[in-house]
Structures are given as C-alpha cells and as structure tokens.
Amino acid sequence: MNKRGHVLNGLLLALGLGFIVEPGLDMATATTVAEITVPVVLGALFPDVDTAFGRHRKTLHSLPVLAIFLAYPIVFGNLQYVWIGVLTHYLLDVVGSRRGIALFHPLSDKEYGLPSGVTTSSKYADLVTVIITAIELAGFWAIHTYVVNLDLDLSAASQAAAGFGL
C-alpha cells in the first residue's frame, strides 16, 4: 500500500476503534477518538520509515519490530495504541498489496503476501484500503467484545514494570 493508504487506514481505524472502545455520540467518544488517533496513525506510518534507510518492506516490516511495539506500553506505560497501527500496516501490506512483507527479517528476506492485493499505484488502492480496514475493525470489535477489553489503560502494568526497576 502507499502512504496515502496507510494514513487513510490509520484515520479510519482510530475513528472506528474510538466507537468500539467508547460507544456513543458524546464527548467521551470524541475524547477517545482523539486519544487514539495520533498513536494509531503514527504506528500505521512507522514501518515505512525504512524507505529512508535499510530495505523497504524488510527492515521495519517484521515480527520482531511488532513485538517491540507490543512490549513498549507494558514496559514504559505509554504508546498504548501504536502497536495497532503497526499491526494493521502489516496486514494492509500483506493483504492489500501484491508484494507482501518479510515477516521474519533479519532471519529471512522471504516476503509473505496474499494474491488478493493491488499495486500501490492502482486506482483501486483506496477502495482496497477501506475494505481491509472494515475487516480489521470487525476483528477488533470481536476481540473487544469476546476476548479482551481494548481500552488499553496500562497504567497498572507500567507501575508493575517500575516495581521491577524497568
């Protein structure tokens, strides 16, 4: 996917996640959307920083990088929603584009993708982005409803990490 697609994905995800975490048409929902938007969009854009150094879709498009972003809020108590942007960036590149990503870099440079994608310059790229984002939001809704609450206030986790000297 192109940068425009990742920004669109991040913005739509933040809006949708805001309503999933805090359903309603009130100030609490608007506040939640505002709190989620910047971290999700930054996370959605972060993997493409590797276009400036390293090798694109390899250096920052891997499971070890995602693991760092998953651990970061537990250890440091902030950036709770950045991992969502990074994860959905990966999904968009794997499902939405033809090329795929090197999930196991630096151990392997093999790129994984599905044959369902379009080229980044395709006139259908935005449509594919919206469809994939809708599917991602349905997945996040199901996870939030049936598995774990996505209201990721990890202040207790960061206090626990501080107790370990982290």
Side-chain angles (χ1 to χ4, degrees):
M1 244 349 97
N2 55 33
K3 286 181 182 70
R4 174 181 157 155
H6 289 300
V7 171
L8 177 63
N9 176 255
L11 290 172
L12 292 175
L13 275 170
L15 184 63
L17 284 169
F19 280 95
I20 289 170
V21 171
E22 187 67 49
L25 293 173
D26 54 10
M27 195 54 156
T29 304
T31 301
T32 301
V33 169
E35 290 173 351
I36 292 173
T37 299
V38 171
V40 169
V41 172
L42 287 175
L45 291 173
F46 177 78
D48 282 342
V49 169
D50 68 7
T51 58
F53 70 91
R55 296 181 313 170
H56 184 53
R57 294 208 179 178
K58 290 181 179 30
T59 307
L60 296 177
H61 286 72
S62 64
L63 294 176
V65 172
L66 179 61
I68 291 168
F69 280 100
L70 282 167
Y72 201 91
I74 295 168
V75 175
F76 296 106
N78 62 357
L79 301 177
Q80 283 82 349
Y81 290 95
V82 174
W83 70 270
I84 292 173
V86 173
L87 173 66
T88 58
H89 181 113
Y90 291 2
L91 289 172
L92 202 57
D93 281 354
V94 167
V95 178
S97 71
R98 292 215 173 137
R99 183 172 164 199
I101 61 174
L103 286 172
F104 300 104
H105 182 77
L107 301 175
S108 169
D109 284 344
K110 181 176 189 227
E111 293 183 356
Y112 296 89
L114 298 177
S116 58
V118 297
T119 60
T120 57
S121 60
S122 170
K123 66 180 181 179
Y124 300 109
D126 287 343
L127 176 62
V128 169
T129 297
V130 170
I131 291 168
I132 292 170
T133 303
I135 294 167
E136 290 169 342
L137 284 170
F140 281 123
W141 173 83
I143 290 167
H144 178 73
T145 303
Y146 298 111
V147 180
V148 64
N149 188 343
L150 290 177
D151 186 8
L152 300 175
D153 178 15
L154 296 178
S155 56
S158 67
Q159 289 173 355
F164 290 110
L166 299 175

